[in-house]
Structures are given as structure tokens and as C-alpha cells.
Amino acid sequence: MSNTAKFLEMGYAILIFVAIVGVILFIANRFSGRKGDRAVASAFLAPTLIVLSVGLVYPGLRTVYESFFDAAGKAFIGLDNYSTIFTDSDEITVLRNTVVWVLITPFFATGIGLLYAILVDKARLESFAKALIFLPMAISFVGASIIWKFIYEYRPEQSGIKQIGLLNQVVVWLGGSPQQWLLNKPWNNVFLIVIMIWIQAGFAMTVLSAAIKAIPEDIVEAARLDGVKAWGMFRFVTVPSIRPALVVVLTTIGIATLKVFDIVRTVTGGQFGTSVVANEFYSQSFRADNQGLGAALAVLLFLLVIPIVLYNIRQLRASEGR
Amino acid sequence: MTSSSIPLPLTKQPVAATVSVAAGRAKKRLTSPWASLFAVVLAILWTLPTFGLALSSLRPERAIKTSGWWTFFSNPQVTLDNYRAALSSDGGGLSSYFVNSFVITIPAVIIPVCLASLAAYAFAWIDFKGRNLLFVAVFALQIIPIQVTLIPLLSLYVKAGLAGSFWTIWLSHSTFALPLAIFLLHNFMKEIPRELIEAARMDGAGHVQIFFRVLMPLMTPALAAFGIFQFLWVWNDLLVALTFAGGTPEVAPLTVGIANLSGTRGTAWHLLSAGAFISIVIPLTVFLALQRFFVRGLLAGGLKG
């Protein structure tokens, strides 16, 4: 397809869509007064509800159903796919990696984001300093993966061969020998996690910085008059005041980490013991053609998100109640 | 980008309004020389990876492969050949992927923003039975990971004869965006004073007029915030594109093109570095130009959740 044809198709799609919205508005406009409210509401909500039921609710339920079937999606096998996830040694590595990702990423990203937000708060060039940390958020996971793969690049230790990856060069400068960071199990997982922390710290920093700026000045002033020092200020004023924001940031990053796929796929392809649930879902569904196991992994992902969301809701309820 | 879409109900205060003078004085105590040094170290650590690849993308292929980018300063050589090679069809072949990224992203932003505005208006300002229940249901759909929907959606597209076309990606991204979009826009719409809507109704305006004449002009920041969010999300997405577009330059976006390049030519750093920067430059520009709206969008999710 030529570029012109692609843009034409795009214009065509937008036109169709504008026409649909136009018809809806036209219909809605024919009803007036409080009695027409129901009709207007149905017209406004109809496209959304249709799209969501067909595109989200039905496929979700269908996947749950398919997770009870075999690789070809033909024979009912009960919970076998789920027991595979928890017994097969490869799948156990996948689960272990996912747990490690979710335990490490949110805390480091939030910790670094919080620290940086406090350090640059009210400093000179604050907005510039923040933009530096924030920028990775605009970069795709794929782009970030390429950036970091280059950092981890390995050249064998021979005379005449120079390192081109920054990390190995630093190791060589310090007198060590270069490492295959992305191949050596199990530490290669940590080098992948670093990429996610690098991306998410900016998100944490932005949200927490806004929360810090919203701390009422009289609280800070009162604590200062009581002689509270920097650490005490952090421990007893800053952290308790921004607790709701901290919970939201931790849980949001936790959920994003649970679904991480692009980084693992781009950097290692899930080889060398680095696969995680979201990547394994893709491999099983589209590479290994094991539809049933793929569906079960997707459902597992959903089940793992739920406790994080519930924790988030409970914490926010508690802080609102206070 | 975070792929999650959990709303961000933060503090109850309007965030910008309480920036305080006293807090500034209190924080000064933290800003010791060590603290400043530490902040600078963090900033350098965060910037260096991107800088290294950016610089490499401008060095000749031979130089990239035989020496680190930090040697650039003792032996500066600059070229745009890598970018030419990455875009041309006998090198990286990224130019058609680049076009696809635009063709995919524009409708995938416009469609959900419009649909969500209509739905958010209905939830915010029209009284009907079961409104709250329905709103909570739509809101709850946010927690469904998109992985759960992909395979059944793919077979639906095959049945509808859409497989392998842009339509699959437009429709999928629009669907996945709706719950968060409706939630965010609903919160913004609720902030508009009831008197304004009531007054318009007294004057005999119907919902369609109120929607266009009263709400739309006030909604620009919210629409911009969500628009940017969705733009970055769609432009940077890999999973949806990979699932529905496959790997061909016919419909697949840049992220897929670069991921493929990394898989097949993982050591061709002259192509990879230039390619990565071609994919980064558009979202980065959008992001820097409209950062204000984006940050507000991030923070405003739950001011009145």
C-alpha cells in the first residue's frame, strides 16, 4: 500500500466515525426537556457500551473459557493449564521472575522519585531538573530497551578490542573484566528491571512532587518551630502527608510492572531465564501456538492485578475516612 | 509510559494553589551541598544512557563498532548516514513504519476522545436510572489487562474480514482507552458548576447544545491532557501492534519495526541507534511542547473521584 493510500484510508476512517457521531447528535437533538433525558443518555452511551461489550467484556470472558481447554482449543482439560503454570520448571522461573520484578520495581522507582522530588523541590532550575528525570516517560519501552541494550553491550576481553557498552567500559576502567550482563542468570533479570525503574522513576517523581507541594505550610512551619530536623521532617511530616499519593504511585507502578512485555521481548526475547508472565503469554499464544496455556497466563495476569487494586482502594478509603 | 490505567486520586487540595512560601524556607534545610551533589548525580545517571545512544547515532558506522561513544570527544566525527540507512529500504527500512505510526495514532486518539466525551457527559449531567451502577461498571473495566482480550479479539477481526488492516489497531486502541478516558473526562465535567448547566437548560438549550456551547470550550485542557496521554500510549505501544498488525511494513508501526531490527540485526548499532531516535523524536516533541497538560492530566484524575 502506498503512503497516499494509507493516509486516504485514515481520512476515510475518521470521516466514517464523524458521520456516526453526527447521526448520534442529530438523534439526541430531537429529544428535549427532562423527559427526553433517557433517550439522550442512551444515544450518548450506545457507541461506548457496544464497543466495550464487544471489545473488552466478551473477549475477557472468552479467554477465561478458553483457559480450560488444550493447546488447540479443542478438548476440555479443566485446570490443567493452571497446574502447568505452577509445576512446569520453565513456568516456575517465569513466575519467580514476575514476583521479583513486582517486588523490586515499584519500591526503587518510587524511592528514587521521592528522593529526587525532595532534593530538587524549590531548588534553582527545578523544572529543568525534573524534565531530565521525566523524559524517559516519553520514550517507548522499545526505545528504552535499545538505549539500555547499548549500555550492556559486551565485547570479549582481547587486546585491540575496545568495549562499546558503557557499563563494561566502567568495569574495565575499574580493573575488572567485561561481563555478559544479559546472559548471566539470574542477575540478567536485575539488569532488565533497571530499565523499568529508569522509566517509572519520572512518573513517581512528578506525582509525588505535586503532593509535596500541596502539604499545607502551617504544618511544615509548626514542625520547624518544634525544632524538627531534615530527617524528622521527612519521616513525620512529608511521608505521612503524601501517603495517599505514595500508595497510588506504588500500586500504579506495580500494575504496570506486572504487565511488562516490551522490555523483556526486545532485550532478551524472554531467553536466558528472563521471561515474565506477560511475555510468556505472548510466546505461548503466538509462538508456541498453545492457546489454552496462553489464555491461562492472561487470566493469571488479571488475577494478580486484583489484589493490588483492592489494596489501593482500601488504602484510599482509609485515608479519606481520616 | 505506564501501561496501567489506574486513576490517580491524590490529595484533596487543588495541587497548584497551595504552593507555599514557608515550605520553601523549611525545605532549604534539606538542600545541603551533599543533597545537591546527589541530585546532580541522579540527573546525570538518568540522562547519560539516552545521550550515549543519541551521540552514537551521529557517528560513522565503523567508529560505533570499534570504540565507545565517550571517545567521540577526542576524535569527533559526525554523519547523518545512519539516519539515511535506517530509513532507506535496503537498510533498516523504517520509513514506511514511520508513516504507519502516524496513520495508526491519529484516529486512535480522535475516536476514543470523542466517544468518551459523549459518554462522560451522559454520566456527569444526564439523570437516568442505573447511572451510578453503569458508571462504576465502566470504571471497573480499567483493571482488565489487555492481554486477556487479544486472542478472542483477533478471531473476531478475522471473522469480520478486518485482519491485518489498520482497522484492527484503531478499534483495539479505542476500546482499551475508553474506560480511563470516560473516568478522567467525567471528573473534569463534574467540576463545572451546576448553575451553568441549569441556566442553559432554563434558556431552553438541549443536551446537544449544552455539550457543544457550554462544556466543550471549558474542556480543552482535559481533552488535551487525555489526548497527549493516548498519543504517547498508542505511538509507543508494541503489544497491540504486534498482535494485530504482524511484522510487515504494510501496517506495523515503528515500535514493531525497531523491535524486529533489534531481533534480526541486534549488533547493527548504527541502524538501531538512528532508528531508536527516529521513534523517540515525535513523542518527545509532543511531550515537551505539551508537558503542562500532560502533568495536569496525570494529577487531576481523582480530584473529585
Side-chain angles (χ1 to χ4, degrees):
Chain A
M1 205 173 5
S2 75
N3 288 345
T4 334
K6 285 175 185 172
F7 279 109
L8 270 178
E9 191 176 345
M10 180 183 97
Y12 189 55
I14 294 176
L15 267 181
I16 291 181
F17 174 72
V18 167
I20 293 173
V21 172
V23 168
I24 289 167
L25 288 172
F26 178 76
I27 295 172
N29 203 22
R30 306 197 57 172
F31 296 93
S32 60
R34 315 252 161 197
K35 280 184 189 153
D37 276 4
R38 221 188 143 73
V40 178
S42 329
F44 278 17
L45 287 172
T48 293
L49 295 181
I50 292 170
V51 166
L52 286 179
S53 344
V54 178
L56 217 54
V57 176
Y58 161 75
L61 294 174
R62 177 88 207 172
T63 298
V64 173
Y65 174 77
E66 276 170 7
S67 72
F68 301 117
F69 285 77
D70 66 351
K74 295 265 155 52
F76 180 82
I77 53 168
L79 291 171
D80 279 9
N81 287 320
Y82 294 93
S83 68
T84 306
I85 297 177
F86 291 100
T87 50
D88 183 83
S89 72
D90 286 345
E91 301 299 327
I92 287 176
T93 309
V94 168
L95 287 181
R96 181 206 67 190
N97 292 345
T98 305
V99 169
V100 172
W101 272 82
V102 174
L103 287 182
I104 296 181
T105 316
F107 292 101
F108 275 84
T110 309
I112 292 169
L114 176 60
L115 185 66
Y116 196 78
I118 292 174
L119 289 180
V120 303
D121 195 45
K122 305 285 185 320
R124 260 180 305 152
L125 299 175
E126 180 183 345
S127 57
F128 173 73
K130 280 177 167 176
L132 290 181
I133 304 283
F134 200 28
L135 276 187
M137 279 191 70
I139 299 174
S140 63
F141 283 5
V142 175
S145 302
I146 303 283
I147 288 174
W148 281 87
K149 234 178 132 180
F150 192 51
I151 298 263
Y152 298 142
E153 183 73 352
Y154 164 84
R155 288 289 145 100
E157 194 178 16
Q158 284 166 24
S159 63
I161 291 192
K162 293 185 203 150
Q163 295 301 321
I164 65 168
L166 183 60
L167 185 58
N168 272 324
Q169 180 65 70
V170 170
V171 168
V172 169
W173 274 331
L174 295 174
S177 40
Q179 301 292 317
Q180 299 256 32
W181 305 110
L182 297 173
L183 301 188
N184 299 337
K185 295 179 217 180
W187 296 105
N188 49 4
N189 284 297
V190 174
F191 292 102
L192 291 178
I193 291 172
V194 166
I195 306 177
M196 189 65 169
I197 295 174
W198 182 71
I199 296 171
Q200 298 292 347
F203 164 73
M205 188 266 304
T206 310
V207 175
L208 296 176
S209 172
I212 290 172
K213 289 189 191 302
I215 299 175
E217 53 186 276
D218 42 342
I219 297 181
V220 180
E221 191 72 4
R224 214 166 49 82
L225 290 176
D226 286 347
V228 178
K229 293 260 166 24
W231 170 250
M233 199 67 101
F234 173 77
R235 174 80 182 72
F236 298 111
V237 178
T238 311
V239 171
S241 308
I242 63 169
R243 209 183 120 81
L246 273 174
V247 170
V248 169
V249 168
L250 280 171
T251 49
T252 306
I253 299 179
I255 292 169
T257 307
L258 209 47
K259 299 184 196 163
V260 77
F261 159 74
D262 316 29
I263 295 177
V264 174
R265 189 187 134 88
T266 312
V267 180
T268 62
Q271 290 170 290
F272 322 116
T274 59
S275 194
V276 292
V277 172
N279 183 68
E280 190 66 11
F281 154 78
Y282 186 86
S283 311
Q284 291 298 342
S285 305
F286 297 105
R287 294 269 171 272
D289 277 327
N290 192 338
Q291 232 189 73
L293 187 55
L297 285 160
V299 173
L300 175 68
L301 209 54
F302 180 51
L303 295 177
L304 291 174
V305 170
I306 293 175
I308 305 183
V309 174
L310 289 181
Y311 172 77
N312 192 355
I313 294 172
R314 263 185 63 181
Q315 290 296 316
L316 290 175
R317 284 259 170 80
S319 67
E320 266 167 25
R322 246 185 269 146
Chain B
M1 285 300 308
T2 53
S3 59
S4 111
S5 40
I6 289 306
L8 304 168
L10 298 172
T11 49
K12 287 281 148 195
Q13 298 93 345
V15 170
T18 30
V19 177
S20 61
V21 189
R25 267 186 286 131
K27 306 258 166 56
K28 273 239 171 66
R29 302 186 138 209
L30 287 172
T31 327
S32 71
W34 287 109
S36 309
L37 182 72
F38 195 68
V40 171
V41 169
L42 269 180
I44 291 175
L45 273 179
W46 247 248
T47 321
L48 214 55
T50 317
F51 176 78
L53 198 74
L55 191 62
S56 296
S57 73
L58 295 169
R59 301 175 74 212
E61 184 183 346
R62 250 193 73 80
I64 300 177
K65 286 185 173 156
T66 52
S67 61
W69 55 264
W70 48 90
T71 62
F72 172 86
F73 302 101
S74 54
N75 177 25
Q77 286 173 291
V78 174
T79 172
L80 285 176
D81 285 351
N82 299 335
Y83 284 89
R84 240 168 263 137
L87 287 170
S88 77
S89 52
D90 50 340
L94 292 179
S95 59
S96 54
Y97 291 105
F98 192 58
V99 170
N100 295 343
S101 274
F102 276 104
V103 173
I104 285 171
T105 307
I106 296 167
V109 172
I110 295 177
I111 296 175
V113 167
C114 294
L115 290 187
S117 308
L118 288 179
Y121 177 87
F123 283 130
W125 293 112
I126 304 179
D127 285 317
F128 60 93
K129 234 171 100 188
R131 177 173 76 167
N132 290 340
L133 193 70
L134 204 55
F135 181 64
V136 170
V138 170
F139 171 69
L141 288 179
Q142 283 183 76
I143 68 168
I144 297 183
I146 59 177
Q147 280 87 349
V148 175
T149 66
L150 294 181
I151 294 178
L153 259 187
L154 190 61
S155 26
L156 279 183
Y157 289 138
V158 171
K159 272 185 212 145
L162 294 173
S165 74
F166 285 118
W167 287 94
T168 58
I169 313 181
W170 291 329
L171 291 172
S172 308
H173 276 307
S174 302
T175 310
F176 300 148
L178 277 176
L180 177 68
I182 292 171
F183 178 72
L184 284 179
L185 296 179
H186 167 267
N187 288 350
F188 273 99
M189 285 190 186
K190 269 286 182 198
E191 300 270 292
I192 290 162
R194 176 168 282 276
E195 299 80 60
L196 219 58
I197 313 284
E198 290 296 327
R201 297 213 80 177
M202 288 300 170
D203 291 345
H207 284 295
V208 177
Q209 280 97 333
I210 296 177
F211 180 74
F212 276 110
R213 302 223 182 106
V214 183
L215 281 165
M216 275 303 126
L218 297 170
M219 288 294 291
T220 319
L223 294 176
F226 180 74
I228 300 161
F229 192 81
Q230 176 72 358
F231 181 94
L232 291 175
W233 167 237
V234 173
W235 185 279
N236 289 337
D237 159 79
L238 177 69
L239 180 59
V240 173
L242 214 48
T243 305
F244 297 125
T248 64
E250 280 290 293
V251 277
L254 261 180
T255 45
V256 172
I258 291 165
N260 285 348
L261 203 58
S262 167
T264 53
R265 305 188 61 182
T267 52
W269 284 110
H270 63 296
L271 296 180
L272 285 174
S273 59
F277 271 89
I278 293 167
S279 80
I280 288 171
V281 74
I282 301 290
L284 209 58
T285 314
V286 169
F287 184 73
L288 287 179
L290 302 169
Q291 209 191 112
R292 217 160 33 91
F293 291 114
F294 182 77
V295 171
R296 213 185 302 171
L298 268 189
L299 300 177
L303 279 183
K304 219 183 166 189

